[in-house]
Amino acid sequence: MQEVQISSQSQVIVRKNARTLKFFKDCKRFILTQKVGSISILFILFIVLFAIFAPVIAPNDPTAQNRDAFLAAPSATYLMGTDDLGRDVFSRIVYGSRISLIVGFASVVISLVIGVLVGLISGYFGGKIDMLIQRIMDAIMAVPALILALFIAALLGPSIQNVIIALVVIEIPRFARIVRGEMLRIKEMNFVEASKSIGSSPLRIIWKHGLPNTLAPIIVLASLTFGQAIIAEASLSFLGIGTPPPNPSWGLMLSNASRYMESAPWLVIFPGLALSFSVLAFNLLGDALRDFLDPKLSS
Amino acid sequence: MGEYIIRRLLFGLVVLLIMVTFIFVMIRAVPGDAVTLQLQEAGAASEEQVAALQAELGLDKNVFVQLVDWVTGAVQGDLGSSFWSDRPVVEMIAERLPITLELTFISVVLAILIGIPIGVISAVKHNKFIDHFLRLISVGGLSVPNFWVGLILLTFLSLTFNWMPPLSYQPFTVDPIANLQQMILPAICLAMTLSASIVRMTRSALLEVLHSDFIRTIRSKGAKERIVIYKHALRNSLVSVITLIGLQVGYLLGGTVVLESIFSLPGLGSLIFETVTLRDYPVVQASVLVFGAMFLLVNLIVDIMYGWVDPRIRNS
């Protein structure tokens, strides 16, 4: 008995090692074939570091007001100038990366988990359950995403948490739809029939056959959705129903800046650049992942 | 075809009904309502006053009774009236909708005019420098928030040319020039994102078609390259481009809200935004409904256009 256990344990370890090895091989291949994608990953890591070490990097407190420097132009002391309350724009942008990343990450992870579950259930069971779930998803998608997010965020009131809730609602159907489609396709395949006939439970079939097949499109969608979530957070904050002041959200900074466009154009330029480059990184990563994971699509 | 359209319309109505129920229940479930807000404005409120106002607005009834009442009215074209101004909602929407529609229409036309030719160039010069350059630009167009471009354009125009678009809205029928002056900047911003997606889609669809057998046949019979691309290849790749436009109209309609706010256009998006915080239930419900209906209609039109572009679908 003892021996059998040991051997099965070591088998698991061997299998795990093989999996890690394959992961590293894939990483190597990604770096070699997807130059732009690798640069985007580096850039995203760079933003993450910015967010984590914000207190070290930012020269000033992002909410501290300096009465001697209202709307100061960019200089050595204030790299990107100051806003109408004398707050350091550079420090606010550094801290702002935290909000964009938290909103993007939280909304994508939560909607991914819920969306995948919903899609699996819908696709696997079919019939009435599928019908019901699909009509709800259709109803969510029937309204333009940002309009629905605007409705939810305005209804719940301005807070980071409510922005995340609003974005989760609009993102769930995208994940659910991909997973459902894939499940419907797989369900008809012979190996699933075979699995069923030897008495595999539905859960096992979903876990072993359903999920791995949907992994590639989900990863790509997650990357693209992350970028869209950053823009959506900025849009809602810009309208005053997203992240509440005095938090240094990039969208909020732009909304404030629009009042000083002529006297202080730097207030408009820098938060927008931060937004654009972050979103660009996630979009380029999404494209690279698509090319990498699905060679069919990249002719 | 007629039967298909009717089926799609009925299906759309069911989806809209579920959506409206969702909005209807949610807006009532969240704390805060027009009664409290209005009485707060007037000062202290007694319980009788609250009850009287609730009865006046019909909020004292069961939620599902309210829903049935509202839907019955909506089917007959009566969307109720505003809790705050008492104006008929239909009238308010009729005032705002044309602005959003005009903005969306101009943006779609601009995006097609910019996106398709650039996509064709990119595909024809496949993997040449110009292709890489145009692809980078189009990913950029997808990543840059369009309201930021709006702000930059405004700043730039006012700093260098001292020019600002007119701030009070003029309907096209009253003053077409002022109207277009006000529409063109937000339309350019909205078109930026859409044309970037169109470039990408045109490029990949055209590349796929250009590698297919029938194109080789047409080339081998000596057709001019221009004819191969515009008459044969582009037409075949249009189906995916049209699908994309249909799907992207949702993003476009969503994007109008922020741009309307920057360029002070009183459109439908701004109406939702203004009335949600006031808990003006009838106006919010109706505006979201109209957005949903527009989106579904656009996608129906797209499906009908498939048949026009691709005779195989028309005949099946």
Side-chain angles (χ1 to χ4, degrees):
Chain A
M1 266 327 260
Q2 197 79 22
E3 266 173 41
V4 172
Q5 261 184 4
I6 288 168
S7 80
S8 80
Q9 250 174 11
S10 59
Q11 257 180 1
V12 169
I13 291 168
V14 168
R15 212 183 299 155
K16 261 191 189 153
N17 278 345
R19 218 178 281 165
T20 348
L21 203 67
K22 185 169 182 300
F23 178 73
F24 281 120
K25 265 189 184 162
D26 282 345
C27 286
K28 197 177 156 198
R29 199 159 57 91
F30 184 84
I31 294 168
L32 286 178
T33 55
Q34 304 292 337
K35 291 269 161 7
V36 179
S38 310
I39 296 171
S40 327
I41 290 186
L42 277 183
F43 189 75
I44 291 168
L45 284 178
F46 180 70
I47 307 173
V48 172
L49 288 179
F50 244 62
I52 294 174
F53 295 106
V56 185
I57 297 165
N60 292 300
D61 181 337
T63 50
Q65 305 179 6
N66 182 354
R67 281 160 208 282
D68 300 325
F70 291 141
L71 299 174
S75 63
T77 14
Y78 298 110
L79 275 179
M80 298 179 179
T82 62
D83 67 5
D84 54 317
L85 296 173
R87 295 175 296 195
D88 179 26
V89 173
F90 177 65
S91 303
R92 288 178 71 72
I93 286 183
V94 173
Y95 273 92
S97 64
R98 288 183 165 184
I99 296 172
S100 290
L101 287 181
I102 287 172
V103 170
F105 186 76
S107 74
V108 168
V109 169
I110 300 172
S111 56
L112 188 150
V113 171
I114 302 177
V116 167
L117 276 177
V118 167
L120 285 177
I121 294 171
S122 193
Y124 185 81
F125 292 104
K128 281 199 182 119
I129 299 175
D130 180 38
M131 175 78 184
L132 181 72
I133 291 177
Q134 284 316 302
R135 290 302 81 74
I136 296 173
M137 295 295 128
D138 284 343
I140 297 178
M141 286 194 296
V143 195
L146 198 59
I147 301 284
L148 188 59
L150 170 104
F151 166 77
I152 298 172
L155 195 60
L156 299 178
S159 81
I160 295 182
Q161 189 193 333
N162 292 341
V163 171
I164 296 173
I165 294 176
L167 296 184
V168 165
V169 173
I170 61 171
E171 287 163 9
I172 286 174
R174 302 180 194 172
F175 289 103
R177 195 166 50 164
I178 287 192
V179 177
R180 174 180 176 265
E182 198 62 30
M183 278 307 290
L184 287 179
R185 202 175 62 81
I186 297 168
K187 219 166 64 171
E188 304 303 319
M189 289 186 159
N190 287 335
F191 70 90
V192 173
E193 275 303 311
S195 247
K196 249 190 218 168
S197 68
I198 58 167
S200 295
S201 70
L203 217 71
R204 191 187 152 81
I205 296 177
I206 288 177
W207 187 251
K208 285 276 168 197
H209 306 299
L211 276 182
N213 275 299
T214 52
L215 208 57
I218 288 175
I219 292 174
V220 174
L221 185 68
S223 182
L224 298 174
T225 307
F226 204 116
Q228 283 168 6
I230 292 178
I231 292 194
E233 186 275 330
S235 309
L236 293 178
S237 301
F238 184 87
L239 290 172
I241 51 176
T243 309
N247 287 306
S249 153
W250 294 337
L252 202 58
M253 292 171 77
L254 283 176
S255 135
N256 190 34
S258 62
R259 280 179 283 152
Y260 305 97
M261 275 183 310
E262 283 154 68
S263 51
W266 56 89
L267 291 180
V268 181
I269 292 168
F270 295 116
L273 284 178
L275 263 174
S276 305
F277 279 109
S278 315
V279 179
L280 182 67
F282 282 102
N283 281 343
L284 288 173
L285 177 63
D287 279 0
L289 285 169
R290 178 179 306 168
D291 288 353
F292 182 72
L293 296 169
D294 192 354
K296 252 193 341 252
L297 288 174
S298 62
S299 44
Chain B
M1 198 68 195
E3 195 195 325
Y4 171 73
I5 295 175
I6 291 170
R7 203 153 26 114
R8 278 288 304 266
L9 280 175
L10 285 176
F11 179 76
L13 282 179
V14 173
V15 170
L16 284 182
L17 186 67
I18 300 174
M19 184 211 54
V20 159
T21 311
F22 175 68
I23 300 284
F24 200 96
V25 174
M26 189 169 164
I27 197 172
R28 281 165 176 76
V30 171
D33 61 277
V35 173
T36 333
L37 287 171
Q38 280 179 6
L39 290 176
Q40 246 170 21
E41 215 168 62
S46 65
E47 265 174 47
E48 292 92 65
Q49 277 176 306
V50 172
L53 195 54
Q54 270 180 342
E56 194 193 316
L57 300 177
L59 291 173
D60 53 342
K61 293 182 220 156
N62 177 293
V63 178
F64 289 96
V65 177
Q66 291 181 45
L67 178 67
V68 172
D69 283 353
W70 190 75
V71 172
T72 322
V75 173
Q76 294 160 353
D78 173 19
L79 292 168
S81 38
S82 161
F83 281 175
W84 290 77
S85 64
D86 214 27
R87 284 184 65 198
V89 176
V90 176
E91 204 181 291
M92 293 172 83
I93 288 182
E95 202 177 87
R96 306 283 196 124
L97 184 59
I99 300 171
T100 302
L101 282 183
E102 187 188 347
L103 185 57
T104 311
F105 179 75
I106 299 179
S107 320
V108 172
V109 172
L110 272 180
I112 292 174
L113 289 179
I114 302 168
I116 292 186
I118 294 185
V120 172
I121 296 174
S122 203
V124 171
K125 306 275 179 198
H126 182 42
N127 274 341
K128 301 259 171 59
F129 171 74
I130 181 103
D131 177 31
H132 292 302
F133 177 71
L134 291 174
R135 280 171 73 188
L136 191 69
I137 297 274
S138 59
V139 187
L142 283 181
S143 311
V144 178
N146 48 25
F147 65 93
W148 180 55
V149 175
L151 286 177
I152 294 278
L153 280 176
L154 271 181
T155 314
F156 175 75
L157 289 173
S158 77
L159 280 180
T160 45
F161 299 105
N162 214 1
W163 182 81
M164 288 282 267
L167 280 176
S168 65
Y169 172 73
Q170 297 291 336
F172 188 76
T173 42
V174 175
D175 187 347
I177 294 177
N179 174 280
L180 287 180
Q181 276 184 341
Q182 219 179 356
M183 287 282 177
I184 193 68
L185 289 182
I188 289 174
C189 302
L190 279 173
M192 176 192 74
T193 320
L194 180 59
S195 59
S197 331
I198 294 181
V199 168
R200 285 155 62 98
M201 185 52 96
T202 310
R203 177 182 175 276
S204 63
L206 196 57
L207 276 180
E208 198 173 305
V209 176
L210 281 174
H211 284 124
S212 58
D213 290 342
F214 83 95
I215 291 291
R216 201 172 342 127
T217 314
I218 294 168
R219 277 198 181 126
S220 63
K221 74 171 190 186
K224 284 200 190 89
E225 189 60 21
R226 205 156 46 96
I227 295 200
V228 171
I229 288 165
Y230 287 100
K231 193 170 164 219
H232 300 284
L234 187 60
R235 188 171 171 159
N236 271 285
S237 49
L238 273 185
V239 174
S240 18
V241 177
I242 291 174
T243 317
L244 175 90
I245 295 173
L247 291 173
Q248 293 283 323
V249 164
Y251 286 99
L252 210 64
L253 287 171
T256 54
V257 187
V258 191
L259 288 162
E260 278 170 7
S261 122
I262 294 177
F263 291 92
S264 46
L265 290 169
L268 195 56
S270 331
L271 185 64
I272 296 189
F273 172 53
E274 289 156 19
T275 49
V276 176
T277 28
L278 290 175
R279 298 291 191 268
D280 200 340
Y281 302 163
V283 185
V284 177
Q285 286 151 206
S287 316
V288 179
L289 178 70
V290 171
F291 265 113
M294 279 198 288
F295 193 25
L296 287 174
L297 270 182
V298 167
N299 280 299
L300 179 62
I301 294 170
V302 163
D303 282 357
I304 296 170
M305 274 172 80
Y306 282 162
W308 173 67
V309 175
D310 190 341
R312 277 173 310 184
I313 301 173
R314 182 167 56 213
N315 295 331
S316 66

